[in-house]
Amino acid sequence: MERLSVLLVDDEKSFIDFLAIHLREEFGFLTTRVYSGPEALALLERPNHGFDVVVLDYMMPEMTGLNVLQRMLEQKNETPVVMLTGAGSETLAVESMKLGAYDYLRKEEITLDRLASVIQATHERRLFRISKMLEEERSQEIRLNNEATEKVREVLNAIAPSLNESFAAIAVELDQKVGSLINNLSTEQRNEFERLFEEIRKHVGVLETGVRGLLSLYQILHAHHSESGEIEHMRKELELKLHPVPRS
């Protein structure tokens, strides 16, 4: 089972030392204790600090628990916090929840079992939020990629008729020109010319088949949404090349 790393923050040294020892020995938590808000922030500001949950006392000199929460919010530090409050501090508890605390406990009502349960539940809620956020990000990624793929298909559908028309025109031009070009040639030259045109037809046919195959393949591929700008730029360039604006 995973051993949770818990940061305990309270200026009451004997109280927090007691919690740290028993949470470690009886429940297997990895506990770190500090006795002021600035000390807590100094640890939390370290990259990859590794704390799964912070148990934070509200009433501390120099910097209150709400001050610490506010700083964490400003720094986009999403480590889940359980706030410890005193009797009659419901307003403070509500305020701490608004600032991002996951839960709160009254200090006079704390038992080791209850605190351990709240820490475990807070960690699980954090994992659920992360899972849900990742799922939403994946859904958003899929939606954006589908939109980008549709753009690619629109571009392909736009250029396919022009390509088909061009290949058809090449075939017609070859058939029409061959007869008129070889009339005045010798038999040897005519045969060579016909052979050359046959090779051209063959290469045009291969090129047409290849282009059609590529178009079909691209129709079933997925584009990444980060390429949307490039796709749009490509579409405009192709439109200009396939349908140039006539000069006045």
Side-chain angles (χ1 to χ4, degrees):
M1 185 175 178
E2 180 187 5
R3 298 185 68 189
L4 299 186
S5 179
V6 182
L7 176 62
L8 301 165
V9 189
D10 197 326
D11 62 312
E12 293 184 38
K13 188 176 185 301
S14 58
F15 172 74
I16 212 71
D17 288 348
F18 172 83
L19 292 182
I21 292 169
H22 288 279
L23 288 174
R24 182 176 66 249
E25 293 181 352
E26 297 181 28
F27 299 95
F29 294 138
L30 301 172
T31 56
T32 301
R33 52 199 132 156
V34 294
Y35 308 106
S36 71
E39 287 180 281
L41 287 173
L43 291 179
L44 291 168
E45 288 170 2
R46 293 178 182 175
N48 304 318
H49 56 70
F51 296 117
D52 297 303
V53 178
V54 179
V55 177
L56 178 64
D57 184 36
Y58 165 73
M59 189 58 69
M60 293 184 293
E62 187 177 358
M63 180 179 280
T64 69
L66 286 183
N67 295 146
V68 175
L69 264 179
Q70 182 65 49
R71 185 75 64 82
M72 292 176 67
L73 184 64
E74 292 170 356
Q75 296 174 347
K76 302 187 185 320
N77 188 325
E78 298 179 352
T79 308
V81 171
V82 176
M83 184 70 78
L84 303 182
T85 66
S89 302
E90 284 74 13
T91 301
L92 298 176
V94 171
E95 190 64 27
S96 68
M97 301 290 277
K98 288 180 180 179
L99 289 174
Y102 275 58
D103 210 337
Y104 71 93
L105 290 171
R106 291 181 180 177
K107 292 180 75 172
E108 68 274 10
E109 297 177 352
I110 286 178
T111 65
L112 288 171
D113 284 340
R114 186 179 180 192
L115 179 58
S117 295
V118 169
I119 290 172
Q120 185 67 47
T122 297
H123 176 62
E124 290 172 0
R125 284 173 59 197
R126 172 61 179 157
L127 292 181
F128 176 77
R129 287 189 186 182
I130 292 173
S131 175
K132 187 175 180 181
M133 180 180 65
L134 290 175
E135 184 178 344
E136 290 174 352
E137 288 179 353
R138 282 194 294 269
S139 297
Q140 175 79 344
E141 184 84 1
I142 291 171
R143 184 183 66 78
L144 292 173
N145 287 344
N146 286 340
E147 290 177 1
T149 300
E150 190 57 36
K151 284 187 177 182
V152 171
R153 288 175 178 154
E154 289 174 2
V155 172
L156 295 178
N157 290 335
I159 67 174
S162 297
L163 290 174
N164 291 335
E165 185 180 333
S166 295
F167 282 122
I170 291 172
V172 171
E173 285 289 317
L174 286 175
D175 288 337
Q176 289 178 345
K177 297 296 183 183
V178 169
S180 61
L181 290 173
I182 64 176
N183 286 336
N184 299 322
L185 299 178
S186 65
T187 301
E188 183 179 348
Q189 289 174 326
R190 184 180 297 123
N191 291 337
E192 180 64 21
F193 206 74
E194 288 177 343
R195 186 194 65 78
L196 175 62
F197 268 89
E198 189 59 35
E199 285 294 316
I200 293 174
R201 286 193 188 95
K202 185 189 300 182
H203 289 308
V204 170
V206 171
L207 181 61
E208 182 178 6
T209 301
V211 170
R212 289 182 186 277
L214 286 174
L215 290 176
S216 299
L217 284 174
Y218 276 115
Q219 287 280 14
I220 63 175
L221 292 178
H222 286 277
H224 196 274
H225 67 86
S226 62
E227 301 167 336
S228 293
E230 185 176 345
I231 293 168
E232 183 64 20
H233 179 70
M234 186 187 307
R235 182 187 66 78
K236 292 178 180 178
E237 281 195 341
L238 286 169
E239 284 182 351
L240 287 174
K241 291 177 180 178
L242 295 172
H243 308 288
V245 178
R247 295 183 179 179
S248 56

